[in-house]
Amino acid sequence: MKLKLRGKLILSMGILTFSAVFLLSSLSYVSLREAYDQVIAAEKEKLDQIIQSQVECMIGVLQAQYDKYQNGLISEEEAMENAKDIVRSTRYNNGTGYFWADMADGTNAVHIKPEVEGTNRYYSKDEKGNYFVQDTIAAGNQSGGGFIDFYFAKPGESEASAKRGFIRKFEPYGWYIGTGNYEEDMLPIIQDELDACNRSSRLSLLIMCLAGMAVFVAGIVVISIIARQISDPI
């Protein structure tokens, strides 16, 4: 009878201890995942800042050219041609980043591909069905510019990959200046931070599991001692 009572007590308290450890471990895991997701969001924001700063720099350069025309240093035609050459030829991120300019009606003003310039792309869709030029115009009409997400296959590939772009309008010419990069090409910039965060998360999860197991085992031992004392009083 005493053995049965002790066994039931150990089982009941063991279940309660396990449940408590499991609950705390689950809450800790959720907190770790939320923290990791926040780090991911912060790192992706860094990538957004890169393309935004590139467009803002481009706008500054174009404004300087336009100011030369305004001050009578160059003709309007020279200013326009210089602006087109600047947008067309400027590169960043080891040459993978480039710029383009569209008009409000969807006509392309400047592009790295000469055959694209002068064509109307207002109803053009990317490989996921997004009207990316319409999105470009909508983003550029926002105060300070805006971001767009679109999809294109890389050269030599058939499957579409995600791209992230930033657009800002250059008012003097009505150009919607944009740049975009494949997200997977930008990830190496923040990969070290992501790897460090991932390692930290795995280590914290391991420590949490080991601590939970230790608490559970210690609890069972303590419960067994208490149950023995209760069932075998002096």
Side-chain angles (χ1 to χ4, degrees), residues 45-72:
E45 186 175 349
K46 289 182 181 179
L47 300 183
D48 282 351
Q49 291 173 352
I50 290 174
I51 57 177
Q52 181 176 353
S53 65
Q54 291 293 335
V55 171
E56 290 175 347
C57 286
M58 175 60 71
I59 293 290
V61 173
L62 295 179
Q63 185 63 52
Q65 283 294 315
Y66 187 74
D67 289 344
K68 287 184 179 180
Y69 156 65
Q70 290 287 86
N71 294 327

Side-chain angles (χ1 to χ4, degrees), residues 54-208:
Q54 291 293 335
V55 171
E56 290 175 347
C57 286
M58 175 60 71
I59 293 290
V61 173
L62 295 179
Q63 185 63 52
Q65 283 294 315
Y66 187 74
D67 289 344
K68 287 184 179 180
Y69 156 65
Q70 290 287 86
N71 294 327
L73 300 177
I74 57 177
S75 67
E76 183 177 11
E77 182 179 352
E78 286 176 322
M80 176 70 77
E81 288 305 313
N82 289 344
K84 287 184 177 180
D85 288 340
I86 291 169
V87 174
R88 193 182 294 120
S89 61
T90 302
R91 300 287 186 276
Y92 64 96
N93 194 28
N94 297 321
T96 61
Y98 63 91
F99 300 86
W100 70 85
D102 289 301
M103 305 291 289
D105 65 352
T107 300
N108 180 263
V110 189
H111 201 277
I112 59 171
K113 296 180 179 179
E115 65 272 17
V116 175
E117 293 186 6
T119 62
N120 190 290
R121 308 189 297 169
Y122 192 80
Y123 294 103
S124 296
K125 298 180 181 180
D126 67 10
E127 297 183 26
K128 295 288 187 177
N130 300 308
Y131 290 96
F132 63 95
V133 175
Q134 294 182 31
D135 292 341
T136 292
I137 296 167
N141 283 333
Q142 297 178 31
S143 177
F147 293 93
I148 63 171
D149 294 294
F150 54 113
Y151 297 82
F152 279 101
K154 290 184 174 182
E157 297 183 6
S158 58
E159 186 175 351
S161 297
K163 297 189 74 172
R164 179 75 164 168
F166 182 80
I167 316 296
R168 184 176 171 185
K169 188 177 182 180
F170 180 57
E171 294 290 349
Y173 296 151
W175 288 356
Y176 291 82
I177 305 296
T179 189
N181 284 284
Y182 290 101
E183 292 184 359
E184 59 190 49
D185 290 342
M186 298 293 285
L187 284 178
I189 298 175
I190 59 172
Q191 195 62 55
D192 289 342
E193 289 86 350
L194 294 181
D195 290 343
C197 180
N198 204 18
R199 287 193 297 270
S200 178
S201 296
R202 287 199 298 266
L203 179 60
S204 298
L205 184 60
L206 177 61
I207 293 173
M208 179 181 66

